[in-house]
Amino acid sequence: FKINSIPTKPIEGQKTGTSGLRKKVKVFMQENYLANWIQALFNSLPPEDYKNGVLVLGGDGRYFNREATQIIVKIAAGNGVGKILVGKEGILSTPAVSAVIRKRQANGGFIMSASHNPGGPEYDWGIKFNYSSGQPAPESITDKIYGNTLSISEIKIADIPDVDLSNVGVTKFGSFNVEVIDPVSDYLELLETVFDFQLIKGLVSRPDFRFTFDAMHAVAGAYATPIFVDKLGATPDSISNGIPLEDFGHGHPDPNLTYAKDLVNIMYAENGPDFGAASDGDGDRNMILGTSFFVTPSDSVAVIAANAKEAIPYFKNSVKGLARSMPTSGALDRVAEKLNLPFFEVPTGWKFFGNLMDAGNLSICGEESFGTGSDHIREKDGIWAVLAWLSIIAHRNKDTKPGEKLISVSDVVKEHWATYGRNFFSRYDYEECESEGANKMIEYLRECLSKSKSGDKYGSYVLQFADDFTYTDPVDGSVVSKQGVRFVFTDGSRIIYRLSGTGSAGATVRVYIEQFEPDVSKHDLDAQIALKPLIDLALSVSKLKEFTGREKPTVIT
Ligand code: VG1
Ligand code: CO
C-alpha cells in the first residue's frame, strides 16, 4: 500500500494529564488534532518499539471512537507497525488492553477513552498510550510526545480502506495486518487464573445472596454478562445498564455516591441486595457496596490486601508488597505494617505503580478515587476488584448453611476496623472552577506551607509537617514534584489539596481529609460527622470559598 505524507502544523495544548490526553470531542474533531498526537507519539518512540511490531487498540465505546480507530490504524500502518490488534467494534476496557498487551507480548497499546468523563458530541474524548508491560506510558515518554506535538510537520498515513470492526479475524494489507479480537476472552482467561471461579460461583448462585452490578452503559457492560452471568451464575437481571452506549445513556460514568445514585438507592432501599458494584467509562474504576453500606475505596484496598492470601489463589504464595497513592487513606499502611510487607506511597495516577510491579516489589495497590488493582496487569481493574470482594465474601461464608445469616460486606469491613482501627476519609471535589482562582489558591497554600513549621497549632490540631509531595521512583530514580500540598498533623490526620489532571474544562479542586480513629465505639459514626472539624479547618486554611467562589463541593466521596 501507499503511504501518504500529509503536511501539518503544531496544535497547542496537547499535553497529557494524570491519565492521557483528554479534551472535548469537538477539540479532537478539529483537522489533524488526533492525527498530530498519534504521529508525535511515533516520532517519540524508538523505532524498535514499533517498526514491524504489534500494537493493541480499543476503547470504551464512546462517541468518536469509531472514527478515531480508523485514523489510528492508518497512521500505525503509515509508520511501519507490523500488526494491530483491535477490539471487536472498537471495544476494549482499560484493564483488558493491559491484559492483551501482556498476553500477546505487544509493544504497547492505545486506549480510546476519557474514563469517567461523560461522552457524546458535547462531551469528552481521550486517548492513553500504554507500554509493553501494559502500564500507562511514563512521564519521560509523555513529555517527549508533547515536545513533538510542538514541532510536528508531517503525518504518515497509509492509503488503506477502513477496517471492518464487526467481525473477529485478520485482514492483511501487504506487510501490515489488522486482527479484530474478541474483547473479553484474553482478559477473562487471565482472571480465571487469578481467582477461584468455582468458589465465587458458589456464592453468586446461592438463593440467599443477591448480587447487582451497574455497568453505567459503559464498557464494563461488554464484560459483565460473559463474566458475572455466563461464568459465575448471576441472574441476567442482576446486570443493569449493561449495554455500552456512545453517550453512556446521558450518564456520567463515574462510580461514586453522586454519579452512581441509582445503584446507591437500590442498595440503601429496604431489603436491598447483599452486594452491589459499579464501574466507570473504561472499566478500571469500581465502587463496592453492601446492604445499606458503602465501602470507601481506601478501605476497600486495605480489606482486599488483608484477606488476599486466604481468599484469592493468585496471592496464595506471596503478596510482594502494597502501595497507595499519596491522598489515599492510611488504612493500607496499617495492613502492610501488620503483615510485615514492603509499602510504597506514590503520586496520584496509576502510572507510578508500574515500575514497582515490574521490579517485583508490589502486588496490591489502590487509589482513593475508586481505583484498585494488582500486578496481574498494569492498570487498575474494576471487575478484578468486584471479583476480589466476591472472593472474600465467598471465602468467609464457606461454612454458612442455607438459612443461616451470611457474613456481609459490612461485617467484613467492621471487623477490619476493629482489628486495624478506622481511617475516616472523605474527598471534596469542586468541578469546573475558574482556573485562575484555583491556581491562586494552590499558590497561596504553597506560601502557607513555606511559612509553616512543626508544632504550629491549627485549631485543636498540631502540625507535624507540611509539604508539596515529591516522589522519587525507587526503581528508576526519576523524580516528580508538586504532586499535592499536604498538611499532616501529629495525630496522623491529614488535609491534602490538588488540582485534577483529568478534566477537560476549567479546574477541578480536590480536597482530601483523613483522620484515624482507634476507638471501636466511634467506628459507626458517619464520616462527614467524624471529619467535620477537620473539613472546616481544610476550607478555612485554604480560603477555598474566597478563591473559588464555591459554597459547596460538586461531589463528596
Ligand atoms: C483522577 C484520580 C486519580 C486517577 C485518575 C485516572 O485524577 O484522582 O486517582 O488515577 O483520575 O483515573 P485527577 O488528576 O483528576 O485527580 V481514570 O479512571 O480517569 O483512568
Ligand atoms: Co477509568
Side-chain angles (χ1 to χ4, degrees):
F1 53 86
K2 196 169 147 252
I3 296 170
N4 293 325
S5 165
I6 303 191
T8 188
K9 286 203 186 83
I11 303 172
E12 260 175 52
Q14 297 200 313
K15 195 172 168 56
T16 50
T18 313
S19 183
L21 184 66
R22 289 186 196 174
K23 301 283 171 195
K24 295 282 176 220
V25 166
K26 285 191 175 130
V27 174
F28 269 105
M29 287 174 101
Q30 292 170 74
E31 201 190 354
N32 290 348
Y33 192 93
L34 172 62
N36 268 15
W37 192 84
I38 300 292
Q39 183 61 53
L41 181 130
F42 284 112
N43 296 348
S44 308
L45 297 178
E48 64 270 21
D49 280 1
Y50 65 89
K51 291 271 182 210
N52 301 314
V54 180
L55 293 178
V56 180
L57 171 63
D60 61 7
R62 72 176 59 219
Y63 181 78
F64 189 57
N65 277 14
R66 287 177 180 277
E67 290 94 307
T69 303
Q70 303 298 344
I71 294 172
I72 296 168
V73 167
K74 289 172 191 174
I75 298 177
N79 282 273
V81 170
K83 183 173 190 176
I84 192 155
L85 305 167
V86 189
K88 191 176 161 191
E89 305 295 358
I91 291 283
L92 278 173
S93 71
T94 288
V97 168
S98 191
V100 173
I101 291 174
R102 295 169 67 76
K103 180 173 175 202
R104 308 282 189 114
Q105 297 184 330
N107 299 80
F110 297 97
I111 301 164
M112 301 176 289
S113 170
S115 189
H116 53 284
N117 299 12
E122 300 302 319
Y123 294 100
D124 293 6
W125 199 79
I127 182 134
K128 295 194 271 186
F129 180 71
N130 284 32
Y131 235 122
S132 55
S133 72
Q135 86 280 34
E139 301 217 324
S140 55
I141 295 290
T142 55
D143 287 350
K144 237 188 216 165
I145 300 172
Y146 178 57
N148 279 321
T149 65
L150 300 176
S151 61
I152 191 162
S153 60
E154 179 203 13
I155 298 161
K156 291 180 211 149
I157 189 157
D159 188 9
I160 52 175
D162 278 1
V163 178
D164 173 12
L165 300 174
S166 57
N167 291 303
V168 168
V170 181
T171 313
K172 288 189 195 293
F173 302 97
S175 57
F176 177 68
N177 291 346
V178 179
E179 181 179 348
V180 176
I181 61 169
D182 175 63
V184 183
S185 52
D186 285 351
Y187 173 67
L188 175 57
E189 190 186 294
L190 174 66
L191 291 177
E192 286 183 288
T193 68
V194 172
F195 297 102
D196 179 346
F197 269 51
Q198 281 313 314
L199 172 78
I200 302 173
K201 190 171 185 178
L203 175 75
V204 172
S205 51
R206 279 179 80 126
D208 55 352
F209 182 78
R210 284 166 310 148
F211 167 83
T212 183
F213 181 81
D214 189 342
M216 301 188 87
H217 284 305
V219 78
Y223 297 82
T225 299
I227 297 177
F228 298 124
V229 178
D230 300 345
K231 277 277 168 186
L232 296 169
T235 55
D237 65 0
S238 59
I239 311 295
S240 46
N241 304 319
I243 295 175
L245 298 175
E246 287 199 330
D247 64 353
F248 308 116
H250 303 294
H252 192 148
D254 198 357
N256 60 37
L257 297 174
T258 302
Y259 295 127
K261 198 71 195 153
D262 293 349
L263 175 67
V264 173
N265 289 342
I266 290 168
M267 297 306 296
Y268 279 78
E270 210 174 307
N271 199 21
D274 299 282
F275 190 101
S279 173
D280 72 332
D282 59 333
D284 56 357
R285 296 186 177 202
N286 74 91
M287 176 164 69
I288 305 290
L289 297 156
T291 317
S292 302
F293 190 86
F294 163 62
V295 186
T296 70
S298 297
D299 280 341
S300 175
V301 66
V303 171
I304 292 173
N307 291 280
K309 218 172 150 79
E310 279 172 28
I312 303 171
Y314 182 82
F315 301 109
K316 203 169 150 203
N317 295 325
S318 98
V319 176
K320 294 167 189 154
L322 305 176
R324 61 165 170 82
S325 67
M326 185 273 280
T328 304
S329 96
L332 187 65
D333 311 30
R334 295 172 190 280
V335 176
E337 201 184 337
K338 184 150 190 207
L339 302 184
N340 206 5
L341 291 172
F343 173 77
F344 306 90
E345 181 181 42
V346 307
T348 295
W350 209 260
K351 56 185 174 238
F352 298 102
F353 293 123
N355 272 353
L356 295 167
M357 291 178 175
D358 288 347
N361 296 331
L362 172 59
S363 293
I364 298 171
C365 53
E367 294 193 276
E368 49 62 44
S369 54
F370 298 81
T372 329
S374 96
D375 65 345
H376 66 296
I377 53 170
R378 295 293 180 272
E379 285 278 6
K380 54 187 186 258
D381 188 341
I383 287 185
W384 176 92
V386 177
L387 295 177
W389 266 95
L390 289 173
S391 301
I392 293 167
I393 302 297
H395 178 76
R396 291 292 183 92
N397 286 293
K398 260 184 175 166
D399 302 321
T400 313
K401 308 248 157 22
E404 282 174 21
K405 193 188 163 300
L406 287 167
I407 296 168
S408 68
V409 170
S410 66
D411 292 338
V412 170
V413 175
K414 286 178 183 174
E415 188 192 304
H416 186 92
W417 291 339
T419 309
Y420 294 92
R422 177 171 179 188
N423 289 70
F424 282 103
F425 179 87
S426 186
R427 182 175 106 181
Y428 279 35
D429 291 336
Y430 300 81
E431 295 176 337
E432 296 193 23
C433 295
E434 297 284 337
S435 295
E436 202 191 326
N439 288 329
K440 279 198 175 143
M441 187 188 99
I442 296 290
E443 275 166 39
Y444 169 74
L445 283 165
R446 288 196 177 120
E447 258 169 55
C448 290
L449 65 88
S450 68
K451 288 183 201 142
S452 70
K453 53 183 186 318
S454 104
D456 285 356
K457 294 232 160 49
Y458 288 75
S460 59
Y461 297 90
V462 179
L463 190 73
Q464 189 182 347
F465 70 89
D467 69 357
D468 197 347
F469 185 61
T470 295
Y471 177 68
T472 305
D473 186 308
V475 179
D476 65 18
S478 59
V479 178
V480 284
S481 56
K482 300 196 171 171
Q483 296 296 310
V485 172
R486 55 179 178 171
F487 293 80
V488 180
F489 301 101
T490 49
D491 66 347
S493 300
R494 302 192 304 165
I495 303 174
I496 296 152
Y497 307 88
R498 286 181 62 246
L499 296 185
S500 156
T502 56
S504 62
T508 292
V509 176
R510 304 203 195 285
V511 184
Y512 311 77
I513 304 109
E514 177 187 4
Q515 181 162 315
F516 180 63
E517 180 54 75
D519 181 353
V520 183
S521 73
K522 294 185 181 149
H523 285 173
D524 280 335
L525 273 179
D526 180 86
Q528 295 307 316
I529 293 165
L531 294 171
K532 178 89 173 46
L534 205 55
I535 291 169
D536 290 345
L537 183 66
L539 299 182
S540 69
V541 165
S542 59
K543 300 192 177 166
L544 185 136
K545 283 182 194 170
E546 264 172 61
F547 280 114
T548 65
R550 292 293 177 86
E551 282 296 323
K552 283 208 174 76
T554 343
V555 178
I556 297 180
T557 48

